[in-house]
Amino acid sequence: MSETTATALIVAAGRGARAGAGGPKQYRPLAGSAVIAHTLAAFLRHPRIDAVRVVIHRDDRDLYAEAIGALAGQDKLLAPVIGGAERQDSVRLGLESLHDPAPGRVLIHDAARPFVPADVIDRVIDGLDHADGAIAALPVFDTIKKADGADHPCIADTVPRDRLWRAQTPQGFAFAAIRKAHAAAAGRAMTDDAAVAEAAGLNVRLVAGSPDNMKITQAEDFGMAETLLGRRAVAYEYRSGHGYDVHQFEPGEAAILCGVAIPHDRKLKGHSDADAGMHALTDAILGAIGEGDIGDHFPPSDPQWKGAPSRIFLEKARDLVSARGGAIVNCDVTLICEAPRIGPHRAAMRGALAEILLVDLDRVSVKATTSEKLGFTGRDEGLAAIATATVRLPGEA
Ligand code: MG
């Protein structure tokens, strides 16, 4: 049976001597946050990564805590573990720390590759449907020369390049297999985890990496990384969508609106919990990314959604945005009804929506109005909700 998710193991225990003075490169600032914060964010926001474990050097506990900042509050981010003398030791210790329960699949990634695209993570996970391992890699297009070993080297040979690939990370594996392979390889130095897998006889697939997935190795790489980030910043595009929903009142004890149960002498009638505010907002987000509406993703004809809490609809819309490498910029919901009174519950509603969308409170607005006793809302027969949402997506550039 194929699994759709994986745990990420981020290796951050290196000293980074080649990147020059200024401490380990993974903790140095890059466009306002530490290199490792960019790397962790890429995995934490990916919907198919269910947990992230970081392996750090024993001297770097404070550097790590400072570098990750607000990411520390994310449920997916496990406490860091301490690595060993060499990268291979750190990976082995990191793998051994993953138990209770052990993951089915693990993606091993270098902290110094902060720009790993979401689609590369998807391809590595998908590759594991077909092999024990799958690594991100790029075919070699430059002609490869082998040197003769002299102080002023000359060419000894030209290496045929037609089957050569450059290995990147993430490198993904069936967890139990790579854990065993690393235990067996302890003390024998190998340059990457795929080599450890190969030595154990595992088959490892090559899947397409990305030229953007650069490794920060030398001091000069920071300049190139800033340029790459700058190009990405201008390549973002912003999209908006709107949603509208109506539900009728029927006898009951509470109306659920924007995730908050408001005591009332009636409830909203519907197939799910009938949270019109959350439905309108879900449709607004789906509209912004051209993903249809709630009914397309959760058909009302399907009995499994009967009485369902509407947060699962909103979570789905949120995950579809993050699967594209996007983010929700802000949203605004207006509830239109004569009763119940919304005002006392607005703060709780904003909090509930912000918590589901994983955004700051000031990006979520909830407002209410009456319709001056006009129309179906004015006659108190039902409630209407309208919503707008703005999302940021990586551009096509
Ligand atoms: Mg509805």
Side-chain angles (χ1 to χ4, degrees):
M1 193 188 76
S2 83
E3 294 173 66
T4 57
T5 64
T7 291
L9 183 67
I10 310 295
V11 193
R15 302 287 78 201
R18 271 179 295 181
K25 64 196 174 191
Q26 60 272 32
Y27 297 112
R28 295 218 213 138
L30 177 61
S33 13
V35 170
I36 192 173
H38 293 278
T39 311
L40 291 183
F43 283 91
L44 290 169
R45 69 173 169 248
H46 199 289
R48 296 174 70 190
I49 296 296
D50 48 25
V52 177
R53 169 81 88 198
V54 186
V55 187
I56 65 173
H57 191 276
R58 68 175 66 259
D59 295 342
D60 294 346
R61 291 175 213 262
D62 293 343
L63 273 177
Y64 175 78
E66 193 182 329
I68 65 165
L71 295 175
Q74 298 221 9
D75 291 344
K76 278 189 189 183
L77 185 59
L78 310 174
V81 295
I82 302 300
E86 301 296 333
R87 182 187 183 283
Q88 197 173 323
D89 302 313
S90 295
V91 172
R92 190 184 68 253
L93 293 167
L95 291 171
E96 285 170 5
S97 79
L98 293 170
H99 52 77
D100 291 337
R105 293 174 166 188
V106 63
L107 265 51
I108 303 169
H109 185 75
D110 290 323
R113 288 188 194 269
F115 305 127
V116 55
D119 59 338
V120 171
I121 294 173
D122 279 319
R123 284 196 288 275
V124 172
I125 295 175
D126 290 340
L128 294 174
D129 288 346
H130 310 283
D132 305 316
I135 73 165
L138 289 175
V140 171
F141 295 117
D142 295 325
T143 298
I144 302 295
K145 302 295 184 187
K146 186 171 179 183
D148 61 6
D151 287 345
H152 300 285
C154 287
I155 295 170
D157 201 0
T158 296
V159 181
R161 69 177 180 207
D162 57 325
R163 291 197 295 162
L164 293 184
W165 292 63
R166 289 190 288 136
Q168 300 185 328
T169 67
Q171 302 193 344
F173 304 95
F175 178 78
I178 192 66
R179 189 187 157 166
K180 196 172 157 197
H182 259 283
R188 287 185 293 144
M190 301 190 198
T191 50
D192 72 351
D193 303 295
V196 171
E198 293 158 51
L202 304 180
N203 64 326
V204 183
R205 219 173 232 238
L206 295 161
V207 302
S210 166
D212 284 0
N213 187 20
M214 65 177 287
K215 185 172 185 179
I216 297 179
T217 305
Q218 309 176 72
E220 303 84 83
D221 296 338
F222 279 88
M224 195 182 290
E226 299 268 2
T227 305
L228 195 58
L229 270 178
R231 202 181 77 210
R232 281 190 170 187
V234 295
Y236 277 123
E237 61 179 44
Y238 292 81
R239 298 187 185 185
S240 56
H242 72 90
Y244 174 70
D245 196 30
V246 168
H247 281 265
Q248 199 181 340
F249 282 120
E250 64 181 5
E253 290 174 349
I256 296 173
L257 285 165
C258 296
V260 175
I262 304 176
H264 192 43
D265 59 358
R266 281 162 303 156
K267 69 197 240 322
L268 291 164
K269 183 178 176 181
H271 189 68
S272 64
D273 66 8
D275 186 335
M278 217 179 269
H279 295 178
L281 178 55
T282 302
D283 275 351
I285 295 168
L286 293 173
I289 56 172
E291 282 278 1
D293 64 14
I294 293 187
D296 294 332
H297 296 275
F298 301 93
S301 56
D302 188 335
Q304 70 169 306
W305 311 123
K306 185 162 173 49
S310 294
R311 67 176 294 147
I312 63 175
F313 309 147
L314 190 56
E315 286 167 352
K316 173 75 177 185
R318 173 201 71 195
D319 289 348
L320 286 169
V321 172
S322 62
R324 291 166 169 238
I328 292 162
V329 176
N330 77 301
C331 61
D332 190 9
V333 180
T334 300
L335 302 171
I336 305 159
C337 58
E338 301 294 325
R341 283 191 62 217
I342 303 299
H345 306 283
R346 278 173 63 189
M349 291 175 176
R350 290 177 69 200
L353 297 177
E355 184 251 324
I356 293 168
L357 295 175
L358 304 172
V359 298
D360 291 337
L361 206 52
D362 69 352
R363 295 179 185 274
V364 178
S365 161
V366 176
K367 309 198 295 292
T369 184
T370 71
S371 54
E372 302 288 342
K373 309 238 184 265
L374 298 171
F376 71 87
T377 54
R379 292 189 298 272
D380 218 4
E381 294 164 4
L383 174 146
I386 57 177
T388 60
T390 302
V391 305
R392 187 187 73 195
L393 292 179
E396 304 299 320

